[in-house]
Amino acid sequence: TFDVEMETGTGKTYVYLRTIFELNQQYSFTKFIIVVPSIAIKEGTYKSLEMTKEHFETIYNKIPYDYFVYDSSNLEQVRNFATNENLQIMIINIDAFNKSFKDPQKEEKANIIHRNNDKLSGNKPIDLIKETNPIVIIDEPQSVSTTTKAKEAIASLNPMCVINYSATHKEKNHAVYKLDAIDAYELELVKQIEVAGFETVNSHNQAYVKLVSVSNTNNKISARLEIDIQNKDKITRKVVTVAKGIDLFEKSNRRQVYEGYEVGDISCEKGKEFVSFTKTPEVLQLKQAIGTIDDDIIKEQQIYKTVEEHLDKELRYINKGIKVLSLFFVDKVANYRVAEGKGKYAIIFERAYNELIQREKYQSLVVETDAEKVHGGYFAVDKKTGFKDTTGKTLADADTYTLIMKDKERLLNLDEPLRFIFSHSALREGWDNPNVFQICTLNDSKSDTKKRQEIGRGLRLCVNQHGERVHGFEINTLTVMANESYEDFAQGLQKEIENDEGIRFGVIEKNSFMDIGGLDLSASIKIYTSFKESAYINKEDKVTEILRADLNENKLKIPEQFEPVREEITQQTKKICGKINCNNFATKHVVKLNNEVYLSEEFKQLWEKIKYKTTYSIEFDTNELINICAAELKKQINVGTAKLMYKKGVLEFGASGIESVQTEQLVVGEDTSKVVLPDILTFLQNKTDLTRNTLVEILTKSGTLKQFEINAQRYMDDVAKILVATMQVTIVDGIKYTKIEDSYEQTLFETRELLGYMGKNLMESNKSVYEHIVYDSDVEKDFATQCENLDCVQLYTKLPNWFKIKTPLGNYNPDWAIVINDNDKEHVYFVVETKGNVLGQSLRAMERAKVHCGKEHFSALGVEFKATTKLDDILE
């Protein structure tokens, strides 16, 4: 059983589908079963296979394959799955095969897949599947295989292996890949999150009581109430447990406003839960509150602000071909839609939309002005009772989800007026539209629903009208309209990530570096100890500002023996030192142009110098490339046989805990069996694009081919990685750029909006093209501050992310362009790359190569390029 951890919205479905084709191509496996937790995900997976069919046929040379959703009324598909020699992919939800299959007396209650069937010559469908030893892919295992019955059901498929794909694995198995929430954010593989919080403040002048839950355990009836409690210097809101006869006056530390609030009846009857009081007329229903701003007023403001933010984004993306969608999670379907028509949320929404769309600022939008046509709801339907609240896992949801998945592409079309989608909690998993930019949580903020599940519906990077993925946080920002404060939401989300990912933000422990770059516990303890010695962590193991400063400047001190995995250790340390990136909507600021600088003659002259694009050509000596690659292989390749190791150690008991100290290590067994060697040249050609002759020379000169015989697959994988990395860096040494007529026009500054957050990544500027600088790090902030303070800097600008230089390693976006007043020359132009540490060996090879390309590009334009952290370096 293997685990693949991928953050929600990063393309998990595509990855496991691609894995299926890779396993087929490389190892000829043909039987795959995708097990999903719900009808929503089942429909989504099938839709993904439909949409990617042409794509996979192109990549895998029109390989014949069949895919289908298991249907108990069409068992011929199961026969075909078992007997057809082509690649077969079956999608099945767990509820279709986990019922009563062990008890022969209850066969009529078992899933059809476990019953004998005449259409299959009396065989059970499951028996045909068993014979194929399928590879089982489990989508969202935390929702599929947590019960004993579900695990038995998975085992009944007789799988050769199981591969779990999820963002939140409840049970840990053999992890083969991890892309967590922090990685996804830093790599900009998901939208950034901003939170607009709604909370009641300064409302302690009357008795506040909210019924959170009721309980009847062992005939002891109790209720959990949220009330305001008087502490020494302030009033805090807490949940307390009460029974009949409890006086809230005493529970609140004798706050006068609670006089008379003695608990009377507590009802635990499902659907009729309430608490009453003996001396006051109030009767509290479940989740209801008194003594606060009316809940409907808060909900109205949430809806209003969601519509306003939606229209603001429509305005910003009007020329980008991006359709903006907003998603509302409702607590009860009846609040949006009732048998006789509109519920209260629909009425509030239409009132808000009709008012806002009339504003002058939105008159340029080509959107539907009739509020009734722009919103819709997706809810399961019961033939007797009409719309119903469901979990998303029942058969009653099937038609609803089919409709949703069919609408997925239609919803992205700008001509389709539907832009606001209301749903019950059933859409938490499985329904993902990449263009959801707002999520409004009208359900209870303290429900069992996980924030990560809810916001996961809007984390995918958006697409334009051509279906092309649009990158960059300036476009991809998900706004959450939460019915709690920004601080509470961010703290709750961070706790969830800590629980799911095993990361304690701001705390480094002895095991923090285990499994990072192949390190074991003893190695992790050595790094932890060295961090203590460097004052990177305090007595409570919390990170210090000394560590954060050294990380910012690329000066992290680690024991010399761990230099080969410095990058992995650094990334893990940065992750721990950071916190979940959740921006405060209230501090969002649209950065405006500083026209005094932007329209100045000096800036026009600067832009005229640097605006031109270039093409590049690469000249390199093949013999030299062969020699360099061979030398790298000789230095880095070290492949051994599979070994059986014997290790012995003693346990040492100390104040800090129990530690194991290894005392002996022996190889007691070795795999020396001969295997048929694969076609290494074809494999490496596909990975590197080098000719067979060149590859033969590299491998021969490296003197490492004997290791190929020892462990062929490991050798080929390692060689491919080393060659690709070496080539990427080596070939740029001979790069030459040529200026062309195409350019970035200055007017782009006027059409591309820039956003930042006050107190987080914005600083005021008088010398820049913008009124504020949006900085990405403390190094950039310090550099901008130097530019502001030094008289010799006439103007400067942070180069926008649309200003890109093409390189063989991908696009490169340099940091700054500056104009300096010099005594000898009136203006000196520089383009600057600010790095924490600009010493060549401190930069990663890829970054170093891109900086080199940037230098050559600007050299072709006659502009000097400098990598530095301090303005003094340029002035000197």
Side-chain angles (χ1 to χ4, degrees), residues 354-382:
N354 285 329
E355 178 189 330
L356 287 163
I357 200 65
Q358 299 303 320
R359 285 187 180 178
E360 187 176 344
K361 69 184 285 192
Y362 302 129
Q363 295 310 298
S364 60
L365 290 176
V366 186
V367 293
E368 178 60 58
T369 56
D370 185 348
E372 287 191 349
K373 294 180 180 178
V374 298
H375 71 103
Y378 291 110
F379 309 107
V381 178
D382 185 285

Side-chain angles (χ1 to χ4, degrees), residues 384-451:
K384 294 180 181 178
T385 60
F387 298 107
K388 56 188 285 187
D389 301 334
T390 61
T391 62
K393 295 183 179 181
T394 66
L395 290 173
D397 298 298
D399 292 339
T400 307
Y401 287 125
T402 301
L403 176 64
I404 291 172
M405 299 320 298
K406 285 180 178 175
D407 281 352
K408 195 168 183 176
E409 291 157 292
R410 178 171 69 87
L411 281 172
L412 289 171
N413 193 310
L414 285 169
D415 295 330
E416 165 58 49
L418 185 62
R419 280 162 162 77
F420 299 88
I421 300 149
F422 286 79
S423 169
H424 191 249
S425 55
L427 284 191
R428 285 176 198 151
E429 286 181 341
W431 188 87
D432 296 286
N433 193 301
N435 286 21
V436 170
F437 284 95
Q438 284 73 231
I439 288 179
C440 181
T441 56
L442 298 173
N443 47 5
D444 185 64
S445 64
K446 296 181 178 66
S447 69
D448 293 333
T449 306
K450 280 203 162 193
K451 291 175 174 61

Side-chain angles (χ1 to χ4, degrees), residues 81 96 285 349 540 563 573 742:
F81 175 87
Q285 310 296 327
F349 170 83
E540 288 79 36
E563 279 298 329
T573 308
D742 194 13

Side-chain angles (χ1 to χ4, degrees), residues 9-102:
T10 55
K12 170 169 54 70
T13 305
Y14 175 84
V15 168
Y16 69 63
L17 293 181
R18 181 75 180 264
T19 300
I20 287 172
F21 285 96
E22 284 291 325
L23 289 171
N24 172 260
Q25 185 181 62
Q26 295 194 37
Y27 305 105
S28 302
F29 297 133
T30 57
K31 311 298 180 184
F32 294 87
I33 298 177
I34 302 169
V35 182
V36 298
S38 67
I39 291 162
I41 297 181
K42 182 178 74 174
E43 295 293 342
T45 303
Y46 185 76
K47 187 69 176 177
S48 294
L49 275 161
E50 275 188 336
M51 293 170 67
T52 56
K53 185 169 177 61
E54 185 179 338
H55 168 75
F56 286 132
E57 284 179 346
T58 302
I59 293 177
Y60 296 100
N61 199 24
K62 295 195 179 295
I63 179 175
Y65 70 96
D66 302 312
Y67 62 92
F68 65 97
V69 173
Y70 169 79
D71 181 353
S72 59
S73 65
N74 186 8
L75 295 177
E76 279 301 312
Q77 291 177 316
V78 175
R79 187 196 299 275
N80 185 65
F81 175 87
T83 59
N84 196 306
E85 292 184 358
N86 294 337
L87 172 59
Q88 299 291 311
I89 304 170
M90 178 197 298
I91 310 161
I92 187 169
N93 58 307
I94 187 67
D95 289 338
F97 70 108
N98 70 346
K99 291 177 186 169
S100 305
F101 55 86
K102 277 197 164 185

